[in-house]
Amino acid sequence: MSELSLLIEPSIGLPADRVDALAVGLADDLRSVRGLQVAHAQSPAVGHGKSQQAWELGMLIVGGVFSATTMRAVAQIAIAYADRVKARSITVRSGGNELVITGATRVDQRLVDQLGRLLAPGSVESAVGVAPPAAQDSLRGTSGS
């Protein structure tokens, strides 16, 4: 099963509880997509708390079997959510690659292809197609707009 991480970047500095509320809202929206598992990202806790892990504020982990249709739905939900809550952006990451989307990003085949390339080979790429090697530049910092 493949995984993506989604990081909400608010347009202004917000308190931790508000950033967490934004992540909860996006998670609820993503759970409407059949076959996706959505959870808060975890990291080692700092300090002397009881828990060995703590939530990464504003970051979600989305797992599942990603088809072209699923990737399009994830993109549409993230874009609509970024626009609705006036977030600066939502960064989608997989491994060392990332794609930054905003409320102004268009959902088109190019964006779906870029999202597909974030995942490990053989997951969604066979469903959405892969650009020729010359066109496969680094996705870091690429916007789907």
Side-chain angles (χ1 to χ4, degrees):
M1 177 180 2
S2 299
E3 284 187 348
L4 292 172
S5 62
L6 279 75
L7 174 64
I8 299 171
E9 298 182 35
S11 57
I12 58 172
L14 295 175
D17 61 336
R18 181 67 182 124
V19 174
D20 187 48
L22 290 175
V24 168
L26 179 57
D28 289 344
D29 289 357
L30 289 167
R31 287 187 183 104
S32 69
V33 178
R34 186 176 180 167
L36 291 184
Q37 294 84 41
V38 182
H40 286 276
Q42 302 285 305
S43 68
V46 289
H48 302 290
K50 291 181 183 178
S51 173
Q52 293 299 313
Q53 292 189 327
W55 283 5
E56 289 280 343
L57 287 176
M59 185 179 286
L60 301 171
I61 300 297
V62 179
V65 177
F66 292 98
S67 65
T69 303
T70 304
M71 295 306 287
R72 184 174 295 277
V74 168
Q76 289 172 330
I77 289 169
I79 291 166
Y81 193 79
D83 186 47
R84 187 170 70 238
V85 302
K86 306 299 183 225
R88 177 179 21 203
S89 64
I90 296 178
T91 301
V92 182
R93 291 184 186 142
S94 180
N97 295 321
E98 67 181 31
L99 179 68
V100 177
I101 59 178
T102 68
T105 303
R106 287 181 324 162
V107 178
D108 57 13
Q109 189 59 43
R110 179 175 167 249
L111 178 64
V112 173
D113 290 346
Q114 290 173 331
L115 285 167
R117 286 192 301 271
L118 286 176
L119 296 170
S123 54
V124 76
E125 292 163 343
S126 60
V128 299
V130 180
Q136 289 184 1
D137 55 327
S138 170
L139 292 174
R140 181 174 284 295
T142 303
S143 169
S145 52

